[in-house]
Amino acid sequence: MTTTTLPAAQSTAQARSRAAYRNIALWTLQGWIAMFFIAAGYAKLTEPMSNLIALMGWPAVAPVNMVRGLGVVELVLALGMLSPLVSWRVGRPLLLVSALGLTVMEAAMLSVHAVNHDLGLALVNLVLLALTVPVLLGRRRG
């Protein structure tokens, strides 16, 4: 009788341990994503356009309002990635919407940069996708 309950207890403990490690990994990814997009959004809102053009190039062909608006969107979505810190029940849906929004934005920017042969920025967006998609899929399951 003892031998039949021991494996069940071990599997339950292992499942809890895996869930804890998964949660830590997802929070780590969420933090990295949020830090990146808070910095990127802040830069787009506060830096002069000449600096943004020198750093990225593409703002030279985009209207100023579009660049600044993209900065606002990046900040809002980045804060949404951290919203479960306030309340899981309210924050989880915001997290999912933010992760989906960032995924769509990163995929769009990846294609724009790839078409324009800006491989450095395309690679950055590819890495950001590799960080954001696991968060979206991992948090979707609850």
Side-chain angles (χ1 to χ4, degrees):
M1 184 160 193
T2 306
T3 57
T4 58
T5 59
L6 186 59
Q10 282 180 339
S11 68
T12 302
Q14 288 173 343
R16 276 187 290 193
S17 179
R18 278 193 303 271
Y21 284 125
R22 182 175 144 265
N23 191 40
I24 290 168
L26 289 172
W27 270 112
T28 302
L29 292 176
Q30 286 170 238
W32 287 342
I33 294 163
M35 285 188 298
F36 178 86
F37 281 104
I38 287 170
Y42 182 78
K44 286 179 184 81
L45 286 173
T46 60
E47 287 294 316
M49 285 299 287
S50 58
N51 288 358
L52 293 174
I53 291 168
L55 287 172
M56 297 181 278
W58 66 265
V61 296
V64 175
N65 289 338
M66 181 183 145
V67 175
R68 303 297 185 205
L70 187 58
V72 171
V73 169
E74 288 176 340
L75 279 172
V76 169
L77 292 176
L79 293 174
M81 293 296 284
L82 300 175
S83 62
L85 288 171
V86 178
S87 165
W88 182 252
R89 188 175 357 163
V90 174
R92 184 172 176 268
L94 293 175
L95 163 65
L96 294 173
V97 169
S98 295
L100 181 62
L102 286 172
T103 300
V104 168
M105 186 173 68
E106 292 160 4
M109 293 311 295
L110 172 64
S111 61
V112 166
H113 294 310
V115 165
N116 291 328
H117 302 289
D118 192 355
L119 298 181
L121 291 176
L123 182 61
V124 167
N125 280 282
L126 189 61
V127 169
L128 289 169
L129 271 170
L131 296 174
T132 308
V133 169
V135 170
L136 177 61
L137 297 177
R139 292 298 188 198
R140 203 177 101 230
R141 287 188 272 153

